[in-house]
């Protein structure tokens, strides 16, 4: 049952990716025509993520606690930068420019991009005294890195481990979408909106929760994904050892 669910999830994810590729392929062909290499596209995505961190840091230094416009703009840029994660691979495929170093360069800059993005998020949350949310963001960062590390380490030992609830595309979409949404909603209900329930002394929801609750969920699911990959790797490695005897 678990294997069937995993297969269906991977099939849905693959079909979704193929659908997105059909939409972006015309743009990819334009990038190839103007001479952009896959590594150049990867670098652009990295620079955009540096910009994301810059917006969060600017929001921490210049904005106030109730001003979520910086979070909203950062979320939009996260989604735009995430598009380049898909573009570089397609440029390599359609432009026949695949290379071993290109794959390494893409992976390294993806990790740097994610680290820098979370640096900006944590800086913003700490600066505006969302300490518990900043801890959740840091735990989400740990989980994100371990998801990638377990896969890379397993591949180094000869087994391929993929799948999971929170791979990089899902992480990017989750953070970017809800960051942008929190900025939009704040324009209508205010960034300082708080929801109280009679009998409870503290508020149970505030506008920035639209951004921080998904981060908490991300903190849980990324680490679950990492542990699941570790479990899958253990099974695959034990099978290899048995076959080698």
């Amino acid at each position: 049952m678990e294997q069937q669910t995993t297969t269906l999830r991977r099939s849905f994810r693959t079909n979704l990716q193929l659908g997105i590729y059909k939409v972006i392929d015309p743009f990819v062909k334009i990038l190839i025509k103007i001479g952009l290499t896959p590594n150049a596209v990867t670098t652009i995505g990295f620079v955009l993520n540096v910009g994301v961190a810059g917006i969060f840091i600017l929001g921490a230094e210049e904005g106030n606690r109730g001003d979520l416009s910086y979070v909203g703009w950062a979320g939009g840029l996260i989604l735009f930068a995430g598009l380049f994660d898909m573009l570089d691979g397609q440029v390599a495929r359609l432009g026949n420019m695949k290379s071993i170093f290109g794959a390494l360069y893409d992976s390294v800059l993806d990790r740097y991009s994610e680290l820098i993005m979370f640096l900006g998020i944590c800086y913003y949350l700490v600066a505006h005294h969302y300490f518990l949310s900043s801890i959740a963001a840091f735990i989400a960062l740990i989980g994100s890195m371990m998801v990638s590390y377990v896969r890379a380490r397993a591949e180094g030992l000869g087994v391929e481990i993929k799948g999971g609830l929170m791979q990089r595309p899902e992480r990017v979409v989750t953070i970017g979408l809800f960051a942008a949404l929190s900025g939009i909603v704040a324009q209508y209900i205010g960034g300082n909106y708080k929801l109280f329930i009679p009998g409870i002394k503290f508020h149970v929801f505030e506008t920035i929760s639209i951004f921080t609750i998904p981060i908490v969920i991300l903190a849980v699911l990324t680490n679950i994904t990492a542990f699941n990959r570790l479990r899958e790797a253990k099974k695959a490695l034990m099978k290899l050892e048995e076959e080698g005897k």
Side-chain angles (χ1 to χ4, degrees):
M1 183 65 180
E2 181 181 354
Q3 186 176 2
Q4 184 179 9
T5 302
T6 302
T7 302
L8 288 173
R9 190 186 300 123
R10 288 178 180 174
S11 177
F12 172 77
R13 192 171 186 272
T14 300
N15 291 332
L16 181 61
Q17 283 182 332
L18 292 175
I20 294 173
Y21 287 152
K22 289 181 180 179
V23 175
I24 67 174
D25 278 354
F27 183 56
V28 169
K29 292 175 182 177
I30 293 174
L31 295 179
I32 295 171
K33 283 184 179 179
I34 64 177
L36 279 181
T37 65
N39 289 350
V41 176
T42 300
T43 303
I44 292 172
F46 168 73
V47 171
L48 290 173
N49 275 290
V50 172
V52 168
I55 293 174
F56 276 118
I57 292 171
L58 186 64
E61 296 295 330
E62 302 293 336
N64 57 59
R65 185 180 169 95
D67 183 6
L68 300 185
S69 60
Y70 293 94
V71 177
W73 284 111
L77 189 55
I78 288 169
L79 294 174
F80 183 61
L83 179 63
F84 283 81
D85 283 343
M86 301 190 71
L87 288 175
D88 56 6
Q90 281 300 89
V91 169
R93 282 185 283 271
L94 296 183
N96 194 26
M97 290 183 278
K98 290 184 179 180
S99 69
I100 297 175
F101 174 74
L104 174 63
Y105 186 73
D106 179 44
S107 296
V108 171
L109 256 65
D110 278 353
R111 302 293 79 73
Y112 270 116
S113 293
E114 202 156 11
L115 285 165
I116 290 170
M117 178 189 71
F118 273 109
L119 168 65
I121 292 172
C122 289
Y123 191 103
Y124 181 90
L125 294 174
V126 170
H128 290 303
H129 308 293
Y130 296 108
F131 294 115
L132 291 178
S133 295
S134 68
I135 292 172
F138 188 73
I139 294 173
L141 169 60
I142 293 172
S144 298
M145 292 301 103
M146 292 310 299
V147 166
S148 301
Y149 179 78
V150 172
R151 176 181 175 179
R153 191 71 183 96
E155 288 178 349
L157 294 171
V159 297
E160 187 175 10
I161 302 297
K162 292 184 178 180
L165 292 172
M166 277 295 166
Q167 300 177 64
R168 177 162 165 76
E170 288 87 344
R171 299 195 298 269
V172 169
V173 171
T174 299
I175 294 176
L177 181 62
F178 286 100
L181 186 61
S182 67
I184 294 171
V185 172
Q187 298 300 313
Y188 294 94
I189 67 174
N192 288 315
Y193 172 81
K194 292 180 175 60
L195 176 64
F196 290 88
I197 294 179
I200 299 179
K201 295 181 180 180
F202 54 87
H203 61 274
V204 297
F205 177 87
E206 57 183 314
T207 311
I208 200 171
S209 299
I210 298 170
F211 176 50
T212 56
I213 289 176
I215 288 178
V216 173
I217 295 172
L218 202 66
V220 175
L221 294 184
T222 52
N223 285 284
I224 288 176
T225 300
F227 279 109
N228 282 341
R229 283 188 171 185
L230 183 61
R231 183 166 53 87
E232 289 180 26
K234 179 184 177 182
K235 290 180 181 178
L237 289 169
M238 288 179 66
K239 184 177 180 181
L240 282 178
E241 288 179 351
E242 290 175 359
E243 291 174 353
K245 291 179 180 179

